[in-house]
Amino acid sequence: MTKIKSVRTRVWNWTGPTVPPTGNFCTNASDALWLKGDAMASFRFHQWLTCEIETEDGTIGIGNAALAPTVVKKAIDDWYAPLVIGEDPFDYAYIWEKMYRRTHAWGRKGIGMTISAIDVAIWDLMGKLVGKPVFKLLGGRTKEKIPVYYSKLYAGPVESMQAEAEEAMKNGYTGYKSRFGYGPKDGMAGMRENLKRVEALREVIGYDNDLMLECYMGWNLDYAKRMLPKLEKYEPRWLEEPVIADDVEGYAELNAMGIVPISGGEHEFSVIGCKDLIDKKAVSVLQYDTNRVGGITAAQKINAIAEAAQIPVIPHAGQMHNYHLTMANTNCPISEYFPVFDVEVGNELFYYIFEGDPEAVDGFLQLDDDKPGLGITISDKHLSNFEIVE
Ligand SMILES: O=C(O)[C@H](O)[C@H](O)[C@@H](O)CO
Ligand SMILES: [Mg+2]
């Protein structure tokens, strides 16, 4: 048995070129504020955290976190790393509870669930130590390959969104996720702008493909109740994060309307947090992100609860820590896929930090039965575009 010897965290600050967002790029929680200047400022992810856990035999497992990397680094360095050093990585359930309970006073939501970055690294480590891909430790291959939906189509001029969708269709995706650019502050005119873009996308992708619509917490209950009947005829597969994450009652009211399935969960944390969404019938599709919700240990427990309630789980973000869970669970039907693009919002930044993330082909992605762990390495190809803080 080889014990955990060290935990190495690094913050990767992107210093390379970025594509500045234009105009009503994507609604978000800050839209409700009387704001001057860039409402998107709180919304770009141009930093990332890597967390490498090494055992005495030199094996290294890789975890990551996308939200608030500098704060997460401090939480891991000061609080979580000392709790895991000296432990056997295969005691991952004990390690998880130790981290969760020893920081419970402040750690059970948000930054505190940085447990995720460590837990993902431990699962990568375990896979490498037994020579198996992580999905083979979770339930194995439930799909020949994973169907993915193209997730971008931020709001912009109608013509450019249609051109982006036309280009994406060449890759054979059967699902497309678009972002709304307008919300309550934009009034009826904004509603028309939103509907104009949904209609335009349906003209391009037709009705035999899924269309998912993302609000990213930028609407509110009143606005969403008014928009849902107007959206119904476009047959969205789901409406994502229409209200802020704390408004679980609002989620439940919108979902109960039964007009468009409501999805959410990427800003929910822990098994109990996700169970609450399910018990309150707040979502028809649960979308935690494994590197936020509590890692693979928590995510797999949530998958069982969701399956019992027959709520499909389609994790937020096209990253390896989510793909392995989707491969290993029949109740995880498809995966979100962030196409590789120039750094814009930053969802795609991980492509510049890691190697091994699969590329979608003909609307599917594949995981390798013979690649141990998560199947990613830390890349040295883009180091010149990063300032890395140890
Ligand atoms: O569902 C998503 O992909 C997220 O909400 C995105 O990370 C965010 O960029 C909003 O589109
Ligand atoms: Mg989302």
Side-chain angles (χ1 to χ4, degrees), residues 12-18 46-47 343 349 352 382 385-387:
W12 297 62
N13 295 297
W14 177 255
T15 56
T18 58
H46 293 166
Q47 287 184 319
V343 176
L349 195 57
Y352 297 83
H382 305 279
N385 279 331
F386 284 101
E387 177 211 273

Side-chain angles (χ1 to χ4, degrees), residues 107-124:
R108 41 191 278 281
K109 297 271 184 187
I111 297 293
M113 287 312 282
T114 309
I115 291 171
S116 309
I118 290 185
D119 184 81
V120 169
I122 286 176
W123 278 87
D124 184 33

Side-chain angles (χ1 to χ4, degrees), residues 43 154 177 179 214 216 240 266 316 336 338 345 347:
F43 176 62
Y154 284 85
K177 184 162 97 175
R179 276 72 177 175
E214 164 80 84
Y216 196 61
E240 185 168 332
E266 73 180 81
H316 163 261
E336 179 165 30
F338 293 138
V345 170
N347 286 324

Side-chain angles (χ1 to χ4, degrees), residues 57-272:
D57 70 352
T59 308
I60 294 176
I62 303 171
N64 76 94
L67 299 179
T70 53
V71 186
V72 167
K73 174 173 172 50
K74 187 93 176 109
I76 291 176
D77 293 351
D78 291 6
W79 291 82
Y80 294 112
L83 296 176
V84 306
I85 289 169
E87 296 290 357
D88 171 358
F90 288 92
D91 292 337
Y92 61 87
Y94 168 75
I95 295 170
W96 197 96
E97 288 294 336
K98 189 175 171 188
M99 293 191 288
Y100 180 62
R101 292 173 180 277
R102 296 278 288 272
T103 61
H104 206 68
W106 53 270
R108 41 191 278 281
K109 297 271 184 187
I111 297 293
M113 287 312 282
T114 309
I115 291 171
S116 309
I118 290 185
D119 184 81
V120 169
I122 286 176
W123 278 87
D124 184 33
L125 194 54
M126 291 194 290
K128 286 169 177 171
L129 289 169
V130 298
K132 286 287 182 185
V134 168
F135 70 87
K136 287 286 186 183
L137 308 181
L138 293 169
R141 178 175 290 276
T142 65
K143 302 167 179 68
E144 183 197 2
K145 47 192 178 180
I146 300 175
V148 296
Y149 59 95
Y150 175 91
S151 178
K152 199 168 180 292
L153 291 165
Y154 284 85
V158 171
E159 301 68 29
S160 67
M161 292 180 76
Q162 288 189 310
E164 182 188 337
E166 276 155 10
E167 187 60 28
M169 283 193 70
K170 293 174 187 167
N171 295 337
Y173 298 101
T174 54
Y176 299 81
K177 184 162 97 175
S178 177
R179 276 72 177 175
F180 285 112
Y182 302 84
K185 67 179 172 43
D186 306 301
M188 289 293 285
M191 286 188 175
R192 301 278 164 263
E193 291 301 320
N194 282 334
L195 295 166
K196 196 191 297 182
R197 286 161 176 76
V198 176
E199 178 143 18
L201 289 176
R202 273 298 187 202
E203 281 168 15
V204 172
I205 69 172
Y207 280 80
D208 291 342
N209 288 310
D210 285 333
L211 176 63
M212 298 79 164
L213 300 174
E214 164 80 84
C215 312
Y216 196 61
M217 308 177 282
W219 291 0
N220 57 32
L221 178 58
D222 167 61
Y223 186 88
K225 283 163 74 173
R226 293 160 61 203
M227 277 296 287
L228 278 168
K230 298 177 194 300
L231 289 169
E232 185 169 18
K233 65 181 176 184
Y234 299 111
E235 300 175 34
R237 177 157 176 176
W238 68 68
L239 181 71
E240 185 168 332
E241 289 206 300
V243 295
I244 55 170
D246 280 339
D247 186 9
V248 178
E249 309 304 328
Y251 265 99
E253 186 173 339
L254 295 169
N255 207 34
M257 290 170 72
I259 298 175
V260 175
I262 301 300
S263 82
E266 73 180 81
H267 296 104
E268 192 44 70
F269 304 89
S270 85
V271 178
I272 293 175

